[in-house]
Amino acid sequence: MKLATFTHNGETRIGVVRGDGIVDLAAAAPGLPRDMVGFLEAGDGAMAQAREASAGAAAIPLGEVQLRAPVLRPGKILAIGLNYRDHVEESGMALPEHQTWFNKQRTCVQDPYGTINLPFVSTMLDYEAEMCFVIGKRCKHVPKERAHEVIAGYFVGNDVSVRDWQLRTNTWQIGKSFDTHGPIGPWIVTPDEVGDPHALDIRCWVNGELRQNSNTRHLIFNCFDEIAHLTQAFTLEAGDIIFTGTSGGVGVAMKPPVFLKAGDVVKVEIEKLGAIENRVVPEKAETVIG
């Protein structure tokens, strides 16, 4: 099942993508929550109800809706760094003995086809194609062999990075959290449709030029390792998003480095999960209060 957040006729709600259309769960199953986090919190029963209700329901053509980030306001966004061997090598660093995590602020979330800001304060804008997943069950101290039980589904992400701001500190957080620098989507694909999440081709193009070309089998710490590790420290909750790392081929590692500029179009595609595509636009340097 493919779960999406969409806007239609001025209203934003959730639905099930079926072929070239989307079933509006507000109409097909009006008792279900209308936002993705609420839906995931409702558990396996809500998932089964959505599956059943969408099977024979009328669908709205995808061309008539705006697909939004599948989780608009996640509780947490956690991202792992240096998690593909080729990316570690191009970064000139040693293979990690332990997982390296940082936060992305949830205000970075962007729609799958929304624009990416070229920051007013930097020209060192870069892309990072990543597989993401969303937590479906509140969990703590999850053993690796049971980690698959808490994943609601997988989707495509771009961990957009402002390299000079990222590398000013060891935490990386601010340079990874600029507004619009977390495009995700186009929908959440449930695990039954994905199969093995560690055998998916992942690619990134900039203006049609292939920059990243890898497979999730090359993750140093896979999705289940990540859950087992994180939940030793803190509770993960339904709606939390995990970015699983990027492969080699990022712009900062090119010789000389090549950064994104206004007008560039970045496309990230993952086998079985779909693709997102985002154009870079100059950020408006305007004060916003309230």
Side-chain angles (χ1 to χ4, degrees):
M1 186 164 58
K2 296 180 176 67
L3 299 164
T5 298
F6 69 100
T7 298
H8 182 246
N9 291 336
E11 294 187 5
T12 299
R13 44 205 191 271
I14 60 173
V16 176
V17 175
R18 197 180 63 208
D20 294 329
I22 186 166
V23 175
D24 181 0
L25 287 177
L32 291 176
R34 298 194 179 192
D35 70 284
M36 192 64 72
V37 173
F39 172 78
L40 295 174
E41 289 175 338
D44 293 339
M47 195 75 73
Q49 189 178 348
R51 192 182 302 274
E52 181 179 356
S54 63
I60 305 168
L62 283 175
E64 296 180 11
V65 308
Q66 177 189 359
L67 287 175
R68 309 295 306 278
V71 185
L72 286 170
R73 298 289 285 178
K76 295 188 284 292
I77 305 176
L78 300 163
I80 188 170
L82 303 173
N83 201 30
Y84 281 76
R85 181 179 296 269
D86 58 357
H87 182 49
V88 174
E89 291 172 350
E90 72 177 3
S91 300
M93 304 181 74
L95 286 176
E97 294 183 27
H98 305 286
Q99 298 180 29
T100 301
W101 287 92
F102 57 91
N103 288 57
K104 288 176 74 74
Q105 297 301 317
R106 65 180 186 172
T107 45
C108 80
V109 168
Q110 178 60 303
D111 297 338
Y113 309 115
T115 56
I116 294 171
N117 285 347
L118 177 63
F120 181 71
V121 296
S122 177
T123 59
M124 298 179 68
L125 184 68
D126 210 351
Y127 52 86
E128 292 192 2
E130 305 205 14
M131 179 177 71
C132 301
F133 61 86
V134 62
I135 298 296
K137 293 180 172 68
R138 188 174 184 273
C139 56
K140 182 76 186 293
H141 295 304
V142 180
K144 180 178 178 178
E145 60 271 17
R146 295 193 61 187
H148 66 280
E149 298 176 26
V150 306
I151 296 177
Y154 301 86
F155 50 95
V156 182
N158 185 349
D159 178 21
V160 181
S161 305
V162 183
R163 296 301 187 189
D164 49 347
W165 282 64
Q166 174 193 349
L167 299 175
R168 286 176 183 175
T169 66
N170 292 331
T171 65
W172 302 351
Q173 179 174 283
I174 293 182
K176 295 283 193 170
S177 295
F178 278 53
D179 290 352
T180 74
H181 288 187
I184 54 174
W187 37 66
I188 296 167
V189 184
T190 52
D192 58 298
E193 289 198 13
V194 175
D196 183 1
H198 307 119
L200 305 178
D201 289 334
I202 177 169
R203 298 184 177 91
C204 176
W205 294 263
V206 178
N207 301 329
E209 177 190 356
L210 184 63
R211 296 281 184 87
Q212 294 181 279
N213 185 9
S214 190
N215 187 286
T216 56
R217 73 170 65 94
H218 299 305
L219 287 165
I220 297 170
F221 302 104
N222 70 30
C223 299
F224 309 145
D225 294 320
E226 294 169 10
I227 290 171
H229 180 75
L230 290 170
T231 60
Q232 290 181 70
F234 48 77
T235 300
L236 293 177
E237 300 171 301
D240 288 348
I241 288 175
I242 310 295
F243 279 71
T244 64
T246 200
S247 67
V250 296
V252 71
M254 298 175 73
K255 300 187 185 304
V258 177
F259 295 109
L260 297 172
K261 59 186 184 301
D264 285 348
V265 176
V266 184
K267 179 180 179 181
V268 180
E269 183 176 61
I270 303 178
E271 183 181 0
K272 297 185 179 181
L273 305 186
I276 63 176
E277 187 170 303
N278 309 94
R279 182 177 296 276
V280 179
V281 300
E283 180 186 24
K284 295 180 181 178
E286 56 186 11
T287 300
V288 177
I289 301 175

